[in-house]
Amino acid sequence: MATEVYLVRHGETMFNQLNKVQGWADSPLTVKGINDLKVTAANLSQVHFDKMYSSDLKRAIDTVHLIADTNEVSEIGKIKKLPAFREVFFGTFEGDDIDEAWRKVAKAGGMKPTSDVVKIIQTLGIHDFREATKKADPRHLAEDAEALDDRMDQAISQLAQETKGLGRVLVVSHGDFIKTLGIKYWDQASGDHDIPFPDNGSVTRGIIDDNGKFRIINYGVKNTDIPNL
C-alpha cells in the first residue's frame, strides 16, 4: 500500500525574521508565523491523516501540534519526533547573519562574494555548495553533501518503515531540508541545481510506494493553495 506524505515547513521564527542562519539552532515562532500556520491548519482541517510526525526541533514540534489541534477528522494520538528530518546543520554559521554567511560560502566556492544564495547554488550546484559551506565554516562542522544525503536516505527509510500500511501522514520539517529533498526526489528538479525555497507553512506532497521508494508529486504548495491539492 502506497503512503501519501504531506511535508509541511514550520512557521516563521524569530531567526527567520532577523535574517539569521537557522539550522539545528532553534528560535520561537513569531506572531506572523503562528497566524500563517493557522491558515495552513485550517486548510488541512478536513484532510484525514493516519499519523503526524515532526523533527525534534521545537519550531517543528510547535507547528505540528497547532495543525493536529485544528484537524477535525483525524485521531492522531501521540506525535512521534523524527530527528532525521531536522534542518540542515550549518555548523559555526548557526545564528550568524545569513547574507554574511553566504558571502563567505561564495568565496570558499571560488566565486566573488555575494549574498545571493540562489546564484551561488546555480553556479556551483547543490553538491559543491554544501562542500563550500563546510569549507567556509571555521570549524568545518557544517553538513557536507555526503552527510546530508545519507541523512535524507535515513529519513525516508525510517518514514517508510513507520508508515507501512498507512494511507496518509503529515511530517513537519524545515525549509532547506525539504528543498534538498525536492532537488533529489521531485521529477521537475535537475538533481543538482536550485529550486524555489518553500514558504513557511507550505506543503510538499510525496508518495512512498510499496517498495519504500519516495517521489515528490507537488512541491512547495503555498498554504492558501492547499485546497487545490
Side-chain angles (χ1 to χ4, degrees):
M1 178 181 179
T3 303
E4 190 177 12
V5 180
Y6 279 52
L7 281 166
V8 178
R9 185 187 173 200
H10 64 79
E12 182 196 70
T13 67
M14 182 179 70
F15 273 18
N16 292 151
Q17 195 176 68
L18 296 176
N19 201 42
K20 290 182 177 291
V21 177
Q22 184 174 227
W24 290 7
D26 222 340
S27 67
L29 299 176
T30 62
V31 172
K32 180 183 184 302
I34 292 169
N35 288 337
D36 286 345
L37 283 177
K38 288 178 180 177
V39 176
T40 303
N43 283 330
L44 292 173
S45 65
Q46 301 302 313
V47 179
H48 179 269
F49 294 100
D50 295 298
K51 288 247 182 167
M52 291 188 184
Y53 305 89
S54 77
S55 91
D56 61 342
L57 298 175
K58 190 173 186 299
R59 59 191 186 270
I61 296 168
D62 289 347
T63 295
V64 76
H65 281 287
L66 191 154
I67 293 171
D69 289 346
T70 306
N71 194 283
E72 298 175 0
V73 295
S74 308
E75 294 291 335
I76 297 304
K78 187 174 181 180
I79 296 171
K80 187 169 183 177
K81 295 184 265 303
L82 302 176
F85 280 89
R86 275 187 178 195
E87 180 59 291
V88 178
F89 182 49
F90 293 99
T92 314
F93 290 126
E94 298 274 343
D96 286 357
D97 179 79
I98 285 178
D99 292 340
E100 184 57 32
W102 294 153
R103 281 190 281 270
K104 292 176 180 177
V105 170
K107 187 175 179 182
M111 297 174 60
K112 291 182 179 179
T114 175
S115 61
D116 186 345
V117 68
V118 173
K119 180 179 179 180
I120 300 170
I121 296 173
Q122 295 293 53
T123 301
L124 300 180
I126 192 67
H127 178 278
D128 288 351
F129 168 74
R130 299 294 181 203
E131 302 305 296
T133 302
K134 190 176 185 74
K135 181 180 178 182
D137 174 3
R139 297 186 180 181
H140 309 300
L141 296 173
E143 276 186 295
D144 60 17
E146 182 180 3
L148 182 56
D149 197 58
D150 286 347
R151 184 156 68 87
M152 287 195 302
D153 287 345
Q154 177 193 344
I156 297 303
S157 177
Q158 182 181 9
L159 189 63
Q161 289 297 318
E162 287 279 343
T163 62
K164 201 168 284 185
L166 301 181
R168 184 185 295 117
V169 300
L170 181 143
V171 183
V172 176
S173 187
H174 305 266
D176 203 8
F177 191 77
I178 293 171
K179 184 183 81 167
T180 312
L181 285 172
I183 290 171
K184 183 172 183 177
Y185 293 107
W186 187 32
D187 64 6
Q188 294 186 42
S190 71
D192 191 45
H193 291 95
D194 204 18
I195 58 177
F197 205 85
D199 290 347
N200 293 106
S202 64
V203 172
T204 291
R205 190 171 68 97
I207 300 289
I208 301 175
D209 70 18
D210 293 338
N211 298 315
K213 291 185 178 179
F214 180 67
R215 59 193 172 96
I216 287 174
I217 308 298
N218 306 102
Y219 174 79
V221 178
K222 295 178 183 298
N223 59 1
T224 52
D225 292 334
I226 290 171
N228 298 323
L229 273 174

